[in-house]
Amino acid sequence: MNNPTPSRTRMVLFVAVAFGVTYLMGIPLYFGYTSGADVNVFPLAQMLYPAAGVMLGQLVTYRKDPNLPRGFIALYLTVTAVMVVAGIVSVLTPQLSWLMISNFLIVAASLAAWGALALTKSAKRAAYGIGWRKGSGRGVAVTSLTFAGLYLLRIFLPAFLTGTQGPYLQYLTTPMPYLLFLNVVLNFFLSFLCFFGEEYGWRYYLQPRMQARFGNRLGVVLLGVVWGLWHLPLNLFYYAPETPLQSIAAQVGSCICYGVVMAWGYCRTGNLWVPVIMHFLNNNLGIVFIPDLSYQNQVYTWPDVMFSILFLAVLHLPFLADKVFSCPRSGADKTE
């Protein structure tokens, strides 16, 4: 029997961790949801799994590479294991405030990760796609601000089209949104590890492979489908348990649309931190304009889902026409 190639080994490990662990953790998530336990650890832990799958593959196939950032990888895998255990324990000890505990764990892990990154030589960071110097500062700023602008359009454009923009405009004349925005900026440094966890898996690792196989544009769209279906346990037992089919449809549609712009930013700059910032903004800017925003136990209707997907598609899918998707292959990671 032929030995599997390093690239195949890495893909097997990535799928086993990113999807296998995610779906297996759906079992305790189900029991936690049905028993009324605080299951807020699960979405935070799940965001770590894609990068953990990539790093495990790197440890197995590149263990002799002197540029392998072993310290950062060891810290990251340890944090991921701790969050897995915390998720299981949270179901067994529902009397504890796991929302507070999970947030504390992520803040501590993010601060430790910044320290580990700072101690990692720049050559090692660059070799494994975690350096922050790639691409021009202007390119990083423009692509990140473009995504922020799209987010604001998603909030304000429907209000202007329906003539209900008054409360938003009045709110903008108060200091509250600007204070909340400063808090969001600070929170990036205290919680970046979760968003890095997804983007190191989706954009750094899987995107170039999907593009190499299916083409730059179709590969990005199919990656959005994969990314959306990866959320399945959360759709069923966290986001919208009462309307799971609508939640899954909305998830896949939004992941395709957001994924196009994140892929565009990553291809334009080659800098992983661009989609990390975009992902963070997507998940956190809402609290600036919707202070009581909650992602848990939502209820979707099919008309709302269809409108949302159409609206997002109009705003985001035109980025597929950018010439950056016309090159032979986009992205910074190499495929074999």
Side-chain angles (χ1 to χ4, degrees):
M1 181 182 293
N2 293 329
N3 291 327
T5 63
S7 60
R8 182 181 177 185
T9 299
R10 290 198 300 278
M11 180 58 74
V12 169
L13 290 171
F14 172 74
V15 173
V17 177
F19 283 89
V21 175
T22 292
Y23 287 165
L24 283 175
M25 288 297 287
I27 298 173
L29 174 59
Y30 163 76
F31 285 109
Y33 162 70
T34 55
S35 66
D38 182 349
V39 293
N40 282 289
V41 176
F42 287 87
L44 295 176
Q46 185 169 321
M47 294 177 78
L48 300 173
Y49 303 155
V54 177
M55 292 180 184
L56 188 60
Q58 291 169 343
L59 280 179
V60 170
T61 59
Y62 294 143
R63 58 187 175 276
K64 295 182 180 180
D65 184 359
N67 280 323
L68 187 67
R70 289 179 177 81
F72 179 72
I73 290 175
L75 171 67
Y76 189 91
L77 293 179
T78 300
V79 170
T80 303
V82 169
M83 290 297 289
V84 168
V85 172
I88 296 172
V89 173
S90 72
V91 177
L92 302 176
T93 57
Q95 69 275 14
L96 299 179
S97 177
W98 283 98
L99 174 60
M100 182 178 67
I101 294 171
S102 60
N103 286 334
F104 173 80
L105 289 173
I106 290 302
V107 168
S110 294
L111 292 175
W114 282 123
L117 283 172
L119 293 173
T120 302
K121 293 182 179 180
S122 59
K124 291 185 177 184
R125 292 197 301 265
Y128 283 84
I130 56 178
W132 41 69
R133 295 182 179 179
K134 190 158 188 177
S136 68
R138 180 177 180 274
V140 170
V142 168
T143 51
S144 301
L145 289 173
T146 297
F147 189 86
L150 289 171
Y151 191 97
L152 293 178
L153 281 175
R154 283 151 48 191
I155 292 178
F156 289 108
L157 190 55
F160 275 94
L161 292 176
T162 57
T164 58
Q165 72 276 14
Y168 282 115
L169 296 178
Q170 184 178 2
Y171 178 60
L172 289 174
T173 63
T174 69
M176 183 59 67
Y178 310 100
L179 294 174
L180 288 173
F181 180 74
L182 290 176
N183 185 58
V184 166
V185 173
L186 175 62
N187 281 341
F188 173 77
F189 297 97
L190 299 178
S191 64
F192 87 98
L193 203 61
C194 292
F195 306 96
F196 170 88
E198 284 204 46
E199 294 310 310
Y200 198 62
W202 306 130
R203 247 53 65 178
Y204 173 76
Y205 178 77
L206 197 55
Q207 178 179 311
R209 286 158 176 79
M210 296 288 285
Q211 289 179 307
R213 179 157 188 166
F214 300 105
N216 284 347
R217 292 183 173 87
L218 180 58
V220 166
V221 173
L222 292 178
L223 174 59
V225 176
V226 171
W227 183 24
L229 294 176
W230 170 81
H231 289 85
L232 187 61
L234 297 178
N235 294 123
L236 296 176
F237 310 125
Y238 186 83
Y239 292 144
E242 294 183 19
T243 52
L245 293 179
Q246 295 92 323
S247 178
I248 294 167
Q251 189 77 64
V252 172
S254 61
C255 283
I256 291 173
C257 296
Y258 301 152
V260 164
V261 183
M262 290 177 182
W264 167 80
Y266 183 49
C267 291
R268 294 278 295 185
T269 63
N271 190 322
L272 175 71
W273 296 97
V274 168
V276 171
I277 292 171
M278 289 179 174
H279 198 152
F280 172 82
L281 291 174
N282 181 71
N283 286 33
N284 288 273
L285 267 183
I287 65 173
V288 175
F289 303 97
I290 312 172
D292 59 347
L293 179 66
S294 174
Y295 292 106
Q296 190 174 7
N297 296 322
Q298 301 178 73
V299 176
Y300 294 93
T301 66
W302 282 114
D304 287 341
V305 169
M306 294 300 103
F307 173 80
S308 175
I309 293 175
L310 179 61
F311 184 61
L312 291 176
V314 170
L315 287 180
H316 296 77
L317 296 189
F319 283 82
L320 283 171
D322 192 281
K323 63 182 180 181
V324 75
F325 291 114
S326 300
C327 57
R329 189 166 74 208
S330 303
D333 189 33
K334 294 180 180 180
T335 59
E336 294 83 1

